[in-house]
Amino acid sequence: MAHYAIGLDFGTNSVRALVVDVGTGEELGTKVAEYASGSAGVLLDPRDPHLARQNPRDYVDGIEQSVRGALEAAATRPGFDAGNVIGIGVDTTGSTPLPVDAAGRPLAFDDRFAENLNAQVWLWKDHTGYAEAAEITRTARRMRPEYLAKCGGTYSSEWFWSKILHCIRVDPEVAEAAHTWVEIADWIPAILSGTDRPDELRRSICAAGHKAMYHQEWGGYPDEEYLAALDERLVRIRRTLPDRTYNVSEAAGGLTEAWAERLGLPARVTVAVGAFDAHLGAVGSGIQPGTLVKIIGTSTCDLMISPMDRELEDIPGLCGIVPESVLPGQFGLEAGQSAVGDIFNWFVELVGSRDWGHEELTAVAERLRPGESGLLALDWHNGNRTVLVDQRLSGMILGLTLATTAPEIYRALVEATAFGARVIMERYEEYGVPVDRIVNCGGISAKNPFVMQIYADVMGRPIQISRSAQTCALGAAVSGAVAAGPERGGPADFGQAVSAMTGIQDTVFEPIPENRAVYDGLFGLYRRLHDAFGVAGAGDDLADVMKTLLDIRDEARR
Amino acid sequence: MAHYAIGLDFGTNSVRALVVDVGTGEELGTKVAEYASGSAGVLLDPRDPHLARQNPRDYVDGIEQSVRGALEAAATRPGFDAGNVIGIGVDTTGSTPLPVDAAGRPLAFDDRFAENLNAQVWLWKDHTGYAEAAEITRTARRMRPEYLAKCGGTYSSEWFWSKILHCIRVDPEVAEAAHTWVEIADWIPAILSGTDRPDELRRSICAAGHKAMYHQEWGGYPDEEYLAALDERLVRIRRTLPDRTYNVSEAAGGLTEAWAERLGLPARVTVAVGAFDAHLGAVGSGIQPGTLVKIIGTSTCDLMISPMDRELEDIPGLCGIVPESVLPGQFGLEAGQSAVGDIFNWFVELVGSRDWGHEELTAVAERLRPGESGLLALDWHNGNRTVLVDQRLSGMILGLTLATTAPEIYRALVEATAFGARVIMERYEEYGVPVDRIVNCGGISAKNPFVMQIYADVMGRPIQISRSAQTCALGAAVSGAVAAGPERGGPADFGQAVSAMTGIQDTVFEPIPENRAVYDGLFGLYRRLHDAFGVAGAGDDLADVMKTLLDIRDEARR
């Protein structure tokens, strides 16, 4: 008898549900539900470009719409029976926390706060806490340098404590009403399984470890002395946080009767502990030690795992090294590029005309030979996440002549993102995490052989493409199946689940030796610009230029 | 009784004649004649992008068409009488030499060579001699460093000897048939006055001094030993060159009967010795010691003069320091930017669409505040003429973000050209040539207050605009009037002529203090990038990057 798992993938603008055959990985039905509020699901403040919030109601409504839709689609397959769904896995964006009351109810559901943006979900790309992030970094550097070592040396404005501290500073009323803050990745499994009371909520190691400075080494979340040095009011929040966390092979609980009815599923279906989209995307792409999974979209996540029975030193510039954040028994290692598809889209917008869209630019750009344009770019239009961990870097194009064309620049931008990808790969290898194979997933991977070939040529490795078009949802389904366990008809462990349920496409992009040689030369130049503009005191001393430009810009805009 | 002078201004694509009242500067009639041959007057070779030649017949035909047209236009004015034209002045592009036979007749007029591109006029922007230019520079550095000191330290592929040497190397038949080579600036006055036999032809100090290494200090043109070290065959050419040269206050001769009839002018009208367009443009803009005249078009020339009775040291990076190349009794100093309008046009072409032309970009860009975009560019899309004298530099844009717009980049490019202009101004001042005022002329100056205000703010000086819309032709007319002299009704000297015939517009662009302060900061950054990428060993050691990119590009195209 076939068994099924459902993956729930909460993105920035919509949620996708995917019904998967646990034995074969076959995807039987899927459905996307758009978030209803704000601008494509994001609540904005015209006066503050850093602000990005979401309505928690959209998440709740999205579960029902997407799961029901996916089950309806699956039901058209002969033999499918929703009664054989054994597990649900959940992935979300992150760090995306929301404030809740002592009962675990979002403050946003309270009439007092319904219209208050600070009481909503603080979306990952909300950067309102940039000053607090700098303060958290500074204070850690002084008091707790070990806290920074596991998150690349700099605490981000996108992360848990930056957002809470910012709320405390700008909206004490919300901050006081908040009993605690919960990552949406933890909140969704909790509400599905009725375990959303703060004292019983199972928080994931993925969110806690990568975004909230949680680490076994120092006893979990950051200590009260450190938090008090930032703001006394953080201590009360700290006391609401548990001493242990859970990984995605563990269950948050069983589906409640109410939700079972709402979704048309059996009650007590296992709901797995949640994780971030990239981490379960890596699972859906078949991650194993030695595999670099690149999830390429508007930005990238570059994930690897490394066995916990082997010593692993800190890797400077990585977003995080967290035990079991991807798979049990493995360190989860997260790196990423702040913008990839976003840069290509930006350029198409810039030259947007009757003549040039992505397809037209690609058609000309792919006929150019590496190096032919004389162009070199830095892919820092949205800062640099890995290995420089610096939001205040910017993009650059060099080598322009009066004959430079739009497709040449387009190609140079693609190449720049490939160089950025190579920097990340080399950083992994330099610190003892060898890359044996690369699996790319995400829209660009599946649809853009031009970009993938350049990645193969620049990185000098074969590039495989994940078989599924929705690897995050698939990875979530895998975790649902594993959490359900063999006694319910699920796989014995992640190893078995990944083999059975994931795979790669037949087409593999092999490096072309001539191209690779040229790109080795260009990469040498890229690396010099990278260090000159990105690393203070790295020899070519131009490291302050971009920041001074930003200061001048900020001054002018004031 | 009013007297008139005619200015003949030979550009890259057409020739303009301008009839001017010698007493008032009033412009009575003008006419432009397009060159008939090639692509807008330029003969091209699809296999060699460096090649740019012209048909000497186009020049001859252009004289008649333009002068007759200008006189017809002037004749509509009450009281005008072509019989009162007293002088003709001539300016041309340069270095633009052509090979002639022993009688002074262009080889191109010989059936044997009519179709041979090497027998035509070698237009200023012909860069086929780039390897020979490097050889000339290297050899001079070794044998005659003083030759380089007066032309900025590097001999250009655009100049006289590079072109002749290249012809010797690639087309010995043309090279042997050429008795000598004549700048078109010298050839036009010579044919008009029937003095085109090589042994009586009056060569201008402007062309000889700026482009052919002519200097009194070492006895005129470069010596035979040096030329023989380059190629024995240059020695024969050297022997056809005279020991002295002439400035634009001197006459090449009187208009021949034949030309007088062809043009509808009195015979024996004085024909002044020729000069380059920029130099007479500076005259038409009212140049005097302390005045920096910027002739702004696709590229710029930045001219100054300095009294010859004052010591003047060599100025590194200047295209030339030549006694009397602009006015008698004054050193003529030439600097320039390799691309200005060309860069703006390039960008409009790049983003060309329904939405963005020059006007639309300007309308948005002029509302931006200095520094607001966070962008900084290097204006080296066509190399850098002054002060780096390096064709193999390229343009750059830095500070790009996902929010960067086309008008922001457009403005950054305008600012970059203004920074480039400031580097030139500061170089003049650093070497004892103070800039008291700046007069801009050329199309961009007259039509683009947005650009002019940025120049005022960046350079920190008031910017005046030349009154005439055709300053080069006006300057040529001034030289025609001066050469004719007071006994024919002309002015006593250039001082008098310039006062009477030239002027500036009422609108002066004053620096805005707030903008100036921001631009001082940006200029500091520009200067660092300028030195880092343009000057080897200047501290920020990135000087080889752009060249390595070009090498890689050339390799890829091979």
Side-chain angles (χ1 to χ4, degrees), chain A residues 342 346 350 369 371-372 381 394-402 404 406 528 540-542 544 549 553 556-557, chain B residues 342 346 350 369 371-372 381 394-402 404 406 528 540-542 544 549 553 556:
Chain A
D342 270 349
W346 163 78
L350 188 78
R369 277 161 296 182
E372 189 180 350
H381 293 60
S394 56
M396 166 173 158
I397 303 170
L398 186 146
L400 298 165
T401 74
L402 296 173
T404 298
R528 284 184 57 204
D540 301 334
D541 194 10
L542 294 169
D544 66 322
L549 278 171
R553 183 193 66 178
R557 286 193 173 166
Chain B
D342 269 348
W346 164 78
L350 189 79
R369 278 160 295 181
E372 189 182 351
H381 293 59
S394 56
M396 168 175 157
I397 303 170
L398 189 145
L400 298 166
T401 75
L402 296 173
T404 298
R528 284 184 56 205
D540 301 334
D541 195 11
L542 294 168
D544 66 322
L549 277 172
R553 182 192 66 178

Side-chain angles (χ1 to χ4, degrees), chain A residues 9-41:
Chain A
D9 168 38
F10 291 85
T12 299
N13 313 112
S14 61
V15 51
R16 173 188 296 277
L18 178 70
V19 180
V20 185
D21 186 313
V22 169
T24 64
E26 194 184 356
E27 300 176 1
L28 300 168
T30 189
K31 168 77 180 180
V32 172
E34 311 286 341
Y35 303 144
S37 308
S39 166

Side-chain angles (χ1 to χ4, degrees), chain B residues 54-76:
Chain B
Q54 296 194 307
N55 184 345
R57 186 81 63 195
D58 290 346
Y59 285 81
V60 177
D61 295 346
I63 298 172
E64 182 170 347
Q65 281 180 49
S66 63
V67 171
R68 281 204 163 272
L71 287 170
E72 272 166 32
T76 63

